[in-house]
Structures are given as structure tokens and as C-alpha cells.
């Protein structure tokens, strides 16, 4: 599942929901990435204070990935094809 995140409050909610859905306590998650339970609590309370490295390690430890979506980009990402126009079938159902 993908989560659109635009604000620190949304990051906080998504991180906690991911952790909870995996049945992990803050202590267990902290152990997985090498930080204290208190640090996890601080990050969940104020993700803007966490380094990108810590956020990315938390997301990876929860089995997720960080994606930056630039809707204004004109070049398709690697492995993606450029959208094409719909082609009308010459066969009719009538």
C-alpha cells in the first residue's frame, strides 16, 4: 500500500501505523535500527527532528521504502514507458 505524505503529522501517523501493524514496540523497532526506545518515541512525536538517515532506516526496518513523486517531471522514471494515447478498436459491439 502507498501512503501520500506531505506533512510531518502524516509521516508520524504512517510510521506509527506501520510499526503497530507489524506488532512492534518502540523498543523493538529501536533495537532493529540501533537507537533507543526514547529516540523512536521522539521521531514518532516530531519526525521533522529526525535525520533523513534515521527516517529511511525506520522505513526500511518496517519493510517499506521511501519514494519521491514529482508529478511535474516530464521524463518517465527508469523502466517505465511513456503514456500513450488510447487506441480505439475498429470492432464494434453493436
Amino acid at each position: 500500500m502507498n501512503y501520500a505524505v506531505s506533512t510531518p503529522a502524516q509521516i508520524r501517523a504512517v510510521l506509527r501505523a506501520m510499526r503497530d501493524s507489524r506488532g512492534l514496540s518502540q523498543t523493538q523497532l529501536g533495537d532493529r535500527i540501533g537507537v533507543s526506545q526514547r529516540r523512536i518515541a521522539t521521531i514518532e512525536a516530531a519526525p521533522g527532528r529526525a535525520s533523513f538517515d534515521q527516517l529511511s532506516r525506520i522505513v526500511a526496518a518496517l519493510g517499506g521504502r521511501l519514494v519521491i513523486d514529482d508529478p511535474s517531471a516530464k521524463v518517465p522514471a527508469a523502466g517505465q514507458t511513456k503514456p500513450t494515447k488510447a487506441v480505439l478498436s475498429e470492432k464494434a459491439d453493436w
Side-chain angles (χ1 to χ4, degrees):
M1 175 169 228
N2 294 323
Y3 303 94
V5 175
S6 313
T7 67
Q10 291 171 331
I11 293 170
R12 177 176 52 243
V14 169
L15 290 177
R16 183 169 183 170
M18 287 178 70
R19 181 179 57 75
D20 287 343
S21 73
R22 284 147 179 84
L24 294 173
S25 67
Q26 291 177 340
T27 301
Q28 291 168 318
L29 178 57
D31 289 345
R32 286 188 179 194
I33 68 166
V35 299
S36 67
Q37 174 275 329
R38 187 174 181 171
R39 184 64 185 141
I40 296 297
T42 300
I43 291 169
E44 286 185 0
R49 294 184 179 179
S51 70
F52 178 77
D53 179 60
Q54 286 177 328
L55 286 175
S56 63
R57 288 186 357 224
I58 288 171
V59 171
L62 294 171
R65 64 189 179 110
L66 294 174
V67 176
I68 297 173
D69 179 30
D70 182 1
S72 66
K74 296 183 180 180
V75 178
Q80 293 183 345
T81 58
K82 193 174 184 180
T84 59
K85 292 181 182 178
V87 177
L88 297 176
S89 172
E90 293 183 9
K91 294 181 180 179
D93 292 328
W94 33 273

